[in-house]
Amino acid sequence: MTIEIASENRAHGGRQLVVSHASESTSTEMRFSIFLPPQAEAGGKLPVVWFLSGLTCSPMNVTEKGEYRAACAELGLIFVAPDTSPRGENVPTDSSGGWDFGLGAGFYVDATEEPFARHYRMWSYVTEELPALVASEFPADMGRQGITGHSMGGHGALTVALRNLGRFRSVSAFAPIVAPSQVAWGTKALGGYLGSDEAAWRPHDAVALIEDGARVSDLLVDVGTDDPFLDSQLRPDLLEQACVDAGIPLTLRRQPGYDHSYYFISTFMAEHLRWHSERLR
């Protein structure tokens, strides 16, 4: 697979890249962001942390606002941020013009409904194609992977980890949509991409997956108490109860005064990366 370096910048002794490539999963060009810490120049493979972004975002939101590079340089972590959907002139989107479905809102599923089934294959992209590409082109130790994400990306991080047991040594999330089958953002996306049969939604619902027996060793989740979506779309209480019932150690931190923005994410990013680093040693 051929990659193209769209941009490269020196930062914290490492290299911040934006990479483009032709994707077989989405049948489009895709871009992702990758930070290679200074330890990468010494040779050998380094642990990798995946960051899945939220609704309306591209890889550039976390790249420009996430404030992760200093911690990654200190800890020797590769940081990879995929896009949130396929893009291009021929890629369909929400016909009503909504921002929470279609372009920038792939919800990390493989769509089965038309007209989305051809391009919206973000599950295959983030779980199969992109990891294989990163492993072949960069010094990533695929035996030491962690995953995190924000909002829709927090949903993605949780479901990817719960369905790929043993692949990820660590998982965390910022303001995740934990039970998309029970909230408006999720029912719109899952219904639009996967159809009306709610049984097809359960593999993409973290709370449902835990109820059905999926397990991870432990979880770190941060939410802001001033997040306007906390009670209507995120529902961390549902994840909390599911983890109690399943015996999954969950560190759920309700951060006073914080909202849903990258001001919130960037404040706690280094703590999440240290959480991952401890488990990726």
Side-chain angles (χ1 to χ4, degrees), residues 19 21 28 37 71 100 117 120 137 159 167 174 228 245 248 267:
V19 181
H21 69 103
T28 65
D100 54 356
Y120 283 80
E137 298 289 339
T159 57
R167 179 185 296 190
F174 301 88
D245 293 343
I248 297 174
T267 299

Side-chain angles (χ1 to χ4, degrees), residues 150-210:
H150 171 233
S151 192
M152 177 186 74
H155 138 78
L158 294 175
T159 57
V160 168
L162 285 163
R163 287 179 56 189
N164 289 273
L165 303 181
R167 179 185 296 190
F168 299 96
R169 294 192 187 181
S170 56
V171 57
S172 73
F174 301 88
I177 306 169
V178 304
S181 300
Q182 302 185 50
V183 300
W185 280 347
T187 57
K188 179 177 181 178
L190 297 178
Y193 293 131
L194 302 177
S196 59
D197 182 1
E198 295 187 15
W201 301 2
R202 292 187 73 82
H204 296 285
D205 183 309
V207 168
L209 284 166
I210 293 170

Side-chain angles (χ1 to χ4, degrees), residues 105-275:
F107 234 77
Y108 304 103
V109 303
D110 282 352
T112 57
E113 299 296 294
E114 298 300 338
F116 306 103
R118 179 185 178 195
H119 296 298
Y120 283 80
R121 297 185 54 78
M122 291 303 296
W123 179 268
S124 291
Y125 180 71
V126 300
T127 65
E128 298 174 12
E129 183 178 8
L130 187 56
L133 175 61
V134 167
S136 69
E137 298 289 339
F138 301 100
D141 182 350
M142 305 309 279
R144 292 187 291 163
Q145 296 184 73
I147 191 166
T148 187
H150 171 233
S151 192
M152 177 186 74
H155 138 78
L158 294 175
T159 57
V160 168
L162 285 163
R163 287 179 56 189
N164 289 273
L165 303 181
R167 179 185 296 190
F168 299 96
R169 294 192 187 181
S170 56
V171 57
S172 73
F174 301 88
I177 306 169
V178 304
S181 300
Q182 302 185 50
V183 300
W185 280 347
T187 57
K188 179 177 181 178
L190 297 178
Y193 293 131
L194 302 177
S196 59
D197 182 1
E198 295 187 15
W201 301 2
R202 292 187 73 82
H204 296 285
D205 183 309
V207 168
L209 284 166
I210 293 170
E211 290 174 348
D212 291 345
R215 299 290 184 266
V216 291
S217 59
D218 56 2
L219 288 169
L220 170 63
V221 173
D222 274 319
V223 296
T225 61
D226 285 6
D227 190 321
F229 308 114
L230 185 64
D231 296 325
S232 60
Q233 305 287 357
L234 308 181
R235 298 297 308 273
D237 56 299
L238 297 177
L239 178 66
E240 189 171 36
Q241 187 60 56
C243 287
V244 168
D245 293 343
I248 297 174
L250 167 66
T251 301
L252 174 60
R253 307 190 302 186
R254 294 174 170 88
Q255 303 291 1
Y258 284 89
D259 58 18
H260 200 69
S261 71
Y262 271 88
Y263 295 109
F264 156 64
I265 298 167
S266 63
T267 299
F268 302 103
M269 177 65 84
E271 293 180 21
H272 278 241
L273 291 171
R274 289 190 173 88
W275 162 280

